[in-house]
């Protein structure tokens, strides 16, 4: 097949195509956009990419992304270290932080257990979680994995194979699954409603 | 529920056909391949939005035409009367009209008309592979239990992941620490699986009672039909979901070594079966064609009753080629029984000799020939 682009341009298009959610058409649009923007802007983009790769690492404590050895949340003296919220992805942590309500600390697994995708506990940040539970004064672990088959299996594994064997009397909780706030009951799907019924609680 | 008027246009081998059925028994009589079953199928399509026989909707369209329509006026006791239209086209997305308003989401259309259809495919439930009977269970229970639908999906996902892991263990290429995750998958499997087992068990115990009654009437009380749930492990001693869940986990522990050696899940609903026995003999193994047909028919009649209980009025009954293999006694009993249920009934047959005169008197009869149905005897 004839090459439609000049080689450097073709290379850029093919790099964009590798990005999640970017198809051939979008990749082409992005590449032409880059060609049209001023040099400084293109430089800034390239620098941002190089820098993020060079400076971002996993927090030594919670495995969140950070540019320091230890992330801001784990450094913050006002956070309650006796409560750890376990999430699977950094974006879940960001969602939790936006509530501005949670005062505990986090642990980011960086994935969920999924044999089909070749992800076992060794690929997740579980050893790090274990050493935190062993060494720190943790009173409660809140499991906030997604309510999927894999998310639930991961939560179950952490409960039964990581926390229980420690015999430290750590409270293990799982976030409630049910109706979204401000949502309409008649718009909720049946699985959500069933869960909402199951996790109902007494009026006080 | 009563269909007062049915019209098919460019449908199968019909150019245009109008039918005004009666409340009780409606008979389509004619040679094979003239279009009798097509009329039954059209009413089933109105109820379920799909055919049991067509693999593609386009098969419903008369050759050379761009689209087909099925229209009906339905009298309902528990709801307002319904003008329903169902359109399949070669170019457009299929759609339905309910009292004039257009719907392309079939979930909105299914269940507006309730129908139970018996055709030769139903014999497979009795004599086919266990997977056919599991599909029958899933289909029937899913209609009334969204929770079952959800658990079934989650169970399948879980078993897929678990089997993948077991296969890795067997081939000694499991990731370090993966072996210990098996217990988490076990909990998930038992959690979703126990619900499936519990629902299948209670569905079959209800079905069994009703089907046995129907079967006893059809066979003049001579034969006792028993429908028995055959789960992959015994749950006779446990009465609730929690009990089944615990038993599931116990059994998983029991077969654990075997599963790791075989690389697959060995127990659970994916291995369930159902037995249909007549007077203590398994119909699948010992039944004659006529006996198997009677059992399949009894199951359908039981299904009819379950739907009536659920909806609050009798569904339409569609009996395709139900008379072959049935002896005179069973035929008479069938129409007596059906008459008593109050379900509007449509039957296909190749001749009327099979019907007792007393039944023919009250029925409306159409002669069906080459895609035309004409009322017999004026």
């Amino acid at each position: 097949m004839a090459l439609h682009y000049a080689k450097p341009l073709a290379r850029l298009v093919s790099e964009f195509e590798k990005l999640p959610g970017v198809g051939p058409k979008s990749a082409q649009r992005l590449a032409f956009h880059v060609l049209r923007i001023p040099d400084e802007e293109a430089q800034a983009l390239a620098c941002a990419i190089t820098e993020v790769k060079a400076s971002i690492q996993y927090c030594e404590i919670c495995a969140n992304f950070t540019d320091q050895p230890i992330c801001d949340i784990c450094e913050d003296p006002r956070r309650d270290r006796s409560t750890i919220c376990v999430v699977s992805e950094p974006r879940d942590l960001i969602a939790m932080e936006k509530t501005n309500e949670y005062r505990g600390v986090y642990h980011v697994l960086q994935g969920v257990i999924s044999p089909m995708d070749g992800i076992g506990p060794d690929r997740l940040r579980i050893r790090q979680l274990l050493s935190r539970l062993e060494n720190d004064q943790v009173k409660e672990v809140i499991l906030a994995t997604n309510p999927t088959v894999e998310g639930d299996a991961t939560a179950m594994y952490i409960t039964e194979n990581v926390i229980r064997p420690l015999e430290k009397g750590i409270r293990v909780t799982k976030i409630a699954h049910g109706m979204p706030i401000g949502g309409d009951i008649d718009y909720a799907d049946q699985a959500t409603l069933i869960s909402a019924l199951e996790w109902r609680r007494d009026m006080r | 529920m009563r269909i007062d008027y049915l019209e098919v246009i460019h449908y199968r081998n019909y150019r245009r056909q109008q039918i005004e059925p009666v409340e009780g028994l409606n008979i389509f009589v004619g040679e094979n391949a003239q279009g009798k079953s097509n009329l039954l199928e059209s009413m089933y399509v109105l109820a379920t939005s799909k055919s049991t026989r067509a693999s593609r909707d386009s098969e419903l369209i008369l050759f050379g035409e761009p689209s087909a329509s099925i229209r009906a006026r339905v009298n309902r006791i528990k709801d307002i009367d319904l003008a329903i239209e169902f359109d399949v086209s070669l170019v457009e997305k299929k759609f339905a009209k309910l009292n004039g308003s257009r719907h392309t989401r079939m979930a909105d259309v299914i269940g507006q008309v309730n129908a139970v259809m018996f055709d030769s495919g139903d014999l497979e439930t009795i004599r086919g592979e266990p997977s056919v009977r599991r599909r029958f269970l899933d289909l029937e229970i899913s209609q009334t239990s969204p929770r079952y639908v959800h658990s079934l999906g989650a169970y399948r996902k879980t078993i897929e992941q678990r089997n993948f892991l077991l296969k890795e263990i067997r081939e000694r290429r499991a990731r370090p620490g993966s072996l210990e995750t098996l217990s988490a998958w076990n909990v998930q499997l038992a959690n979703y699986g126990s619900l499936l087992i519990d629902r299948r068990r209670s569905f079959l115990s209800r079905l069994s009672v009703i089907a046995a009654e129907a079967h006893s009437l059809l066979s003049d009380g001579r034969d006792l039909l028993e429908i028995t749930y055959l789960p992959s492990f015994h749950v006779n001693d446990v009465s609730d979901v929690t009990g089944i869940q615990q038993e599931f986990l116990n059994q998983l522990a029991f077969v654990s070594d075997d599963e790791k050696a075989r690389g697959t899940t060995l127990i659970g609903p994916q291995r369930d079966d159902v037995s249909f026995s007549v007077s203590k003999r398994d119909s699948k193994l010992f039944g004659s064609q006529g006996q198997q047909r009677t059992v399949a028919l009894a199951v359908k009649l039981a299904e009819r009753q379950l739907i009536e209980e659920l909806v609050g009025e009798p569904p339409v009954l569609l009996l395709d080629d139900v008379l072959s293999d049935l002896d005179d006694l069973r035929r008479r009993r069938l129409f007596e029984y059906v008459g008593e249920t109050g379900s509007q009934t449509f039957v296909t047959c190749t001749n009327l000799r099979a019907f007792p005169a007393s039944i023919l008197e009250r029925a409306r009869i159409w002669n069906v020939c080459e895609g035309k149905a004409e009322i017999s005897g004026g």
Side-chain angles (χ1 to χ4, degrees), chain B residues 10-282:
Chain B
H10 299 161
Y11 170 79
R12 291 278 193 187
N13 64 336
Y14 289 90
R15 188 146 289 281
R16 190 184 190 106
Q17 179 70 51
Q18 290 158 329
I19 301 272
E20 285 179 38
V22 291
E23 181 159 17
L25 182 61
N26 298 275
I27 303 172
F28 300 120
V29 59
E31 297 297 312
N32 287 327
Q34 302 299 308
K36 305 183 300 286
S37 304
N38 293 347
L39 290 173
L40 260 54
E41 179 193 45
S42 73
M43 291 179 267
Y44 188 77
V45 170
L46 287 180
T48 62
S49 89
K50 49 182 180 281
S51 162
T52 53
R53 299 185 297 160
S55 47
R56 269 186 306 268
D57 288 332
S58 58
E59 290 174 29
L60 302 178
I61 304 169
L62 178 67
F63 184 77
E65 296 296 334
S67 65
S69 300
I70 309 166
R71 295 172 188 165
R73 260 199 333 267
V74 186
N75 177 294
R76 299 186 289 192
I77 304 168
K78 293 281 168 182
D79 206 337
I80 55 166
D81 290 354
L82 177 74
I84 184 169
E85 174 176 336
F86 191 87
D87 287 80
V88 194
S89 146
L90 292 175
V91 284
E92 249 187 313
K93 217 177 146 186
K94 71 174 166 187
F95 67 91
K97 278 186 182 165
L98 303 173
N99 287 334
S101 71
R102 193 185 154 109
H103 297 262
T104 46
R105 230 176 57 130
M106 288 305 131
D108 298 334
V109 182
I110 298 166
Q112 290 290 327
V113 178
N114 300 108
V116 174
M117 170 120 152
F118 175 88
D119 63 21
S120 54
D122 290 310
L123 274 175
E124 283 305 298
T125 313
I126 312 301
R127 63 181 181 201
E129 295 299 308
S131 62
V132 181
R133 286 180 283 283
R134 287 193 293 270
R135 201 160 56 229
F136 162 75
L137 287 176
D138 291 341
L139 214 73
E140 294 300 322
I141 305 169
S142 293
Q143 285 179 25
T144 59
S145 172
R147 172 154 215 179
Y148 188 87
V149 178
H150 175 248
S151 294
L152 188 63
Y155 185 82
R156 284 180 179 152
K157 193 88 193 281
T158 305
I159 210 162
E160 207 179 351
Q161 290 279 21
R162 190 172 184 272
N163 282 348
F164 208 93
L165 179 59
L166 285 168
K167 211 168 143 218
E168 284 187 328
I169 292 169
R170 182 187 66 176
E171 290 163 11
R172 301 189 188 287
R173 53 183 177 83
R175 303 196 62 84
S178 282
L179 200 59
E180 286 73 44
T181 65
L182 194 57
S183 60
W185 292 112
N186 289 358
V187 173
Q188 297 271 88
L189 197 73
N191 176 22
Y192 297 119
S194 59
L195 186 118
L196 300 183
I197 293 170
D198 182 60
R199 294 286 160 99
R200 285 179 179 184
R201 182 170 68 172
S202 58
F203 169 75
L204 282 172
S205 77
R206 279 182 66 210
L207 186 82
S208 179
V209 175
I210 306 170
E213 266 171 45
H215 189 268
S216 159
L217 275 163
L218 288 175
S219 62
D220 208 24
R222 281 181 301 195
D223 301 320
L224 176 69
L225 168 65
E226 279 175 293
I227 303 178
T228 317
Y229 181 35
L230 303 174
S232 63
F233 55 88
H234 284 289
V235 287
N236 295 341
D237 309 329
V238 284
S239 58
D240 61 347
V241 182
T242 325
I244 299 170
Q245 203 170 343
Q246 193 49 54
E247 187 54 27
F248 204 143
L249 288 170
N250 294 345
Q251 292 295 326
L252 280 173
F254 196 68
V255 296
S256 175
D257 288 344
D258 222 11
E259 287 194 323
K260 287 173 194 159
R262 307 259 296 268
T264 192
T265 302
L266 293 176
I267 56 164
Q270 79 285 3
R271 301 212 162 201
D272 282 356
D273 200 354
V274 180
S275 92
F276 299 88
S277 73
V278 174
S279 300
K280 303 278 175 200
R281 283 153 63 97
D282 192 325

